[in-house]
Amino acid sequence: MTTTPPTELSLEARLKDEILDMYREVAEHPEKEFHFFHGREAAEMLGYDPAALDRAPAGAVASFAGVGNPHLRAALAPGERVLDLGSGAGLDALLAAWRVGSEGRVVGVDLNPTMCRKAEAHVGAAGGRFECRLGRMEEIPVDDGAVDVVLSNGVLNLSMRKRRVIEEMHRVLVPGGRVSIVDIVSARPLSESVAKDPKLWAA
Ligand SMILES: C[S@@+](CC[C@H](N)C(=O)[O-])C[C@H]1O[C@@H](n2cnc3c(N)ncnc32)[C@H](O)[C@@H]1O
């Protein structure tokens, strides 16, 4: 059995608190300034269809905080079962729910109870079939082989245990399942001061 050194553990716990605080703000006060692009401006910049953004609940669009567009390569089809990892306020989950239709299903997983509540309200109001499960991407609360496609938008970079998250994605996918991940990658190793600062990491 491998154990995480205590210092890593406390850094991960502090990172979780930072992430909870930051995304609660994004969920409840999307009108505020953040140090990352968010809302409609970000979604349009990343190639989301403006007509779909018009149709989506305003709250899902305003609190969108993705870093790319996982739908461009996901090729979702009617009837598929989708997991949206770190589903936030639900914009990606809603677009997926529209694509898979009433025969498919979308499950979201998010650390943040405020985000989970908002995502369910937003997707439900727009006629999508969706359930948000409160949980962590490092221990995805989904059965083995239960989904056809995993989507994730700007979430993996927030984990200190990325290999574990990838293993979890594989566990929940059916054999031959697909992933569409968009994220931030640093071409250079982060400096010690950045890597050990939960505020910067959460950012
Ligand atoms: C960049 S946003 C996702 C954007 C979202 N797909 C949308 O449509 O707006 C990141 C989300 O990941 C969640 N998150 C961060 N760390 C997480 C973790 N370890 N497990 C699950 N969710 C996490 C945050 O609470 C936040 O809601």
Side-chain angles (χ1 to χ4, degrees):
M1 196 176 91
T2 55
T3 51
T4 314
T7 49
E8 290 289 304
L9 206 61
S10 62
L11 181 59
E12 190 173 20
R14 286 188 292 140
L15 176 62
K16 181 181 170 197
D17 288 344
E18 284 297 335
I19 290 172
L20 280 169
D21 285 350
M22 165 139 8
Y23 285 100
R24 192 181 313 114
E25 281 297 288
V26 177
E28 292 180 344
H29 300 289
E31 73 287 353
K32 280 191 178 172
E33 289 274 318
F34 294 92
H35 51 268
F36 46 83
F37 290 109
H38 70 288
R40 181 155 188 136
E41 183 192 9
E44 287 197 355
M45 191 174 73
L46 297 169
Y48 283 70
D49 174 14
L53 298 177
D54 288 342
R55 274 179 70 203
V61 178
S63 295
F64 169 74
V67 300
N69 186 340
H71 306 280
L72 295 176
R73 285 165 183 252
L76 296 180
E80 286 193 309
R81 299 161 303 168
V82 178
L83 167 66
D84 184 15
L85 214 48
S87 40
L91 181 63
D92 285 321
L94 171 58
L95 298 179
W98 281 339
R99 290 297 287 264
V100 301
S102 57
E103 298 298 307
R105 62 185 299 230
V106 181
V107 171
V109 170
D110 205 289
L111 184 65
N112 194 310
T114 312
M115 282 298 198
C116 246
R117 271 196 308 277
K118 293 213 171 224
E120 284 195 341
H122 291 147
V123 184
R129 200 168 159 217
F130 175 71
E131 171 200 355
C132 185
R133 298 186 186 166
L134 200 57
R136 310 196 63 181
M137 60 183 147
E138 294 84 357
E139 286 100 30
I140 300 174
V142 170
D143 290 342
D144 296 1
V147 301
D148 301 300
V149 184
V150 175
L151 301 180
S152 128
N153 191 349
V155 186
L156 199 47
N157 71 88
L158 296 170
S159 179
M160 295 187 69
R161 290 184 285 146
K162 296 176 176 52
R163 184 177 291 275
R164 166 77 186 168
V165 180
I166 299 290
E167 286 167 1
E168 279 291 273
M169 289 182 182
H170 276 267
R171 180 185 62 75
V172 301
L173 276 171
V174 286
R178 315 190 300 284
V179 294
S180 183
I181 301 173
V182 288
D183 223 303
I184 302 169
V185 176
S186 172
R188 284 177 296 156
L190 299 175
S191 70
E192 182 84 356
S193 61
V194 171
K196 292 268 153 82
D197 184 332
K199 268 197 195 309
L200 291 177
W201 196 309

